[in-house]
Amino acid sequence: MVRPATVPATLAETLTAGIADEVAAVYGDQVVFPAQVVVDDPRDGQRLFPGWPAPVLVIARENQGVVSWGVPLGDPSPPVLVGGNLGDPTPDRMGTQVYAPSVDAFVSARRWDQSCLAGQPLVQAQADVLDADVLAVLRAGFGEVAATAGWPGHTQYRFEGPNVRLMLWSGLHQCDWWLSGADHDALADCVPHLMALSNLREAFWSSDPGGDAVLKDVRAAR
């Protein structure tokens, strides 16, 4: 534990109780700060942020405790770290890396993810590994929003187009795609272009009735 005075001002100002609950709810994470002031110290035997050389103030923990998010102490404008079992390149790789360059960026990314995942209609895919050619096509056709790193893939890419949002969790073994639209027509206009990429023609699916209707219409038209 540490004295409240050691909490970075940017964290205390940005991550209020209400905002902490909001961003944790996106993926069902467990809120730590500001409800508690918990510090992961390099002298601890079992670290939440393995290998990080400085103490880390814990923000939240993943809902099964696999990873944690926090900010390094001693930096007035700290990045947000993710530490624990990061997975890539092996299922049990323990480590820590910068998830977002600032607390503001962390909050913005989580809010963007919520808008993408909660959007309807929604389609998704567990597709082949993301390659440079596919990424180049996406960057040419969409506006790119700030990426995050370390969890649940090694990189999370975010893209926006006319009335659509696209999120990719890029890992060493697969890439998960999430695509939501403002309405049926917006999503139906976008999906055929993406089906030419990777193995998305076969991999796209949806548990959302609206997304399933879009996929049926697009596949029937081809």
Side-chain angles (χ1 to χ4, degrees):
M1 303 289 286
V2 294
R3 297 191 307 272
T6 65
V7 174
T10 55
L11 178 64
E13 292 165 3
T14 303
L15 205 66
T16 63
I19 292 176
D21 288 342
E22 175 193 351
V23 299
V26 177
Y27 294 112
D29 298 329
Q30 304 165 13
V31 175
V32 177
F33 182 88
Q36 303 176 68
V37 177
V38 176
V39 173
D40 180 62
D41 193 282
R43 295 168 294 185
D44 294 342
Q46 298 291 325
R47 295 205 64 192
L48 298 178
F49 298 88
W52 197 261
V56 179
L57 180 66
V58 184
I59 293 175
R61 300 200 69 183
E62 187 265 342
N63 57 25
Q64 296 184 37
V66 176
V67 298
S68 301
W69 289 268
V71 297
L73 294 176
D75 186 338
S77 299
V80 172
L81 309 175
V82 61
N85 190 343
L86 301 181
D88 285 338
T90 59
D92 58 352
R93 183 175 77 87
M94 303 299 291
T96 300
Q97 67 183 93
V98 173
Y99 177 85
S102 68
V103 179
D104 281 340
F106 170 76
V107 172
S108 294
R110 288 306 180 90
R111 285 174 166 166
W112 192 97
D113 292 358
Q114 173 63 20
S115 67
C116 179
L117 295 171
Q120 291 184 340
L122 172 73
V123 298
Q124 59 200 89
Q126 286 75 50
D128 291 343
V129 173
L130 182 67
D131 62 37
D133 290 342
V134 170
L135 190 56
V137 171
L138 296 175
R139 285 174 167 159
F142 294 86
E144 187 170 6
V145 182
T148 52
W151 181 264
H154 59 69
T155 310
Q156 285 59 248
Y157 295 100
R158 299 171 177 85
F159 298 94
E160 296 178 348
N163 298 312
V164 295
R165 292 195 168 194
L166 171 64
M167 178 167 58
L168 284 70
W169 296 348
S170 180
L172 293 183
H173 305 291
Q174 70 179 45
C175 182
D176 292 351
W177 296 61
W178 308 82
L179 174 67
S180 62
D183 53 36
H184 182 283
D185 290 345
L187 196 62
D189 286 344
C190 183
V191 166
H193 301 290
L194 294 180
M195 279 185 168
L197 304 177
S198 186
N199 63 328
L200 291 178
R201 189 179 307 280
E202 299 79 25
F204 264 140
W205 67 281
S206 180
S207 59
D208 164 44
D212 189 52
V214 167
L215 292 177
K216 287 179 179 178
D217 287 351
V218 169
R219 285 169 172 149
R222 298 187 68 85

